[in-house]
Amino acid sequence: LSSSAILRYFERSRTDLTGGPGDGLRELQDGGISAFVAKMDGLTFGTHGYRPNVGDKVLVRTYLQGSRPSVSMKYWQEMWFHRDGKEELAATGEVTVMTIDSHTLRPTK
């Protein structure tokens, strides 16, 4: 699995945590707020040569580590592959998401 594919899984998981693309993100956008990834730290890939097969399960765990209300959220994320009862750590990383006013492009309050 490519690093860009893993990052897309991470993004989908964060989006689901906020209520999904149809509800949570739309509600933010309708309120004039945009969210974006401001920083990624400690991104590591743990699958040395692991290639997922059809039927393997992928699990992304996303933990909200902290937030400054209405300004930023910090997440710890992990991706795991499951095959034949075994788990393989695929990637980990810390992601900071910031929110801004869509009109002024300044941090939200």
Side-chain angles (χ1 to χ4, degrees), residues 7-64:
L7 294 175
R8 282 193 303 273
Y9 275 103
F10 278 6
E11 182 170 3
R12 288 179 190 148
S13 182
R14 290 190 312 273
T15 299
D16 287 346
L17 192 61
T18 62
D23 294 324
L25 286 180
R26 184 169 303 140
E27 188 174 312
L28 283 175
Q29 291 170 345
D30 289 348
I33 297 173
S34 295
F36 64 95
V37 172
K39 186 164 116 177
M40 298 182 97
D41 283 325
L43 190 60
T44 60
F45 299 97
T47 56
H48 304 289
Y50 184 88
R51 297 283 182 249
N53 293 326
V54 173
D56 287 357
K57 294 181 181 179
V58 176
L59 173 67
V60 177
R61 293 183 178 127
T62 300
Y63 305 94
L64 180 61

Side-chain angles (χ1 to χ4, degrees), residues 10 14 37 39-44 65 74-77 92-96:
F10 278 6
R14 290 190 312 273
V37 172
K39 186 164 116 177
M40 298 182 97
D41 283 325
L43 190 60
T44 60
Q65 286 188 300
K74 189 177 286 190
Y75 300 94
W76 176 256
Q77 295 191 269
T92 61
E94 184 178 81
V95 179
T96 301

Side-chain angles (χ1 to χ4, degrees), residues 6 16-18 23 29 42 53 70-71 73 80 86 109:
I6 290 170
D16 287 346
L17 192 61
T18 62
D23 294 324
Q29 291 170 345
N53 293 326
S70 301
V71 176
M73 294 143 294
W80 296 83
K86 297 178 186 173
K109 295 183 179 181

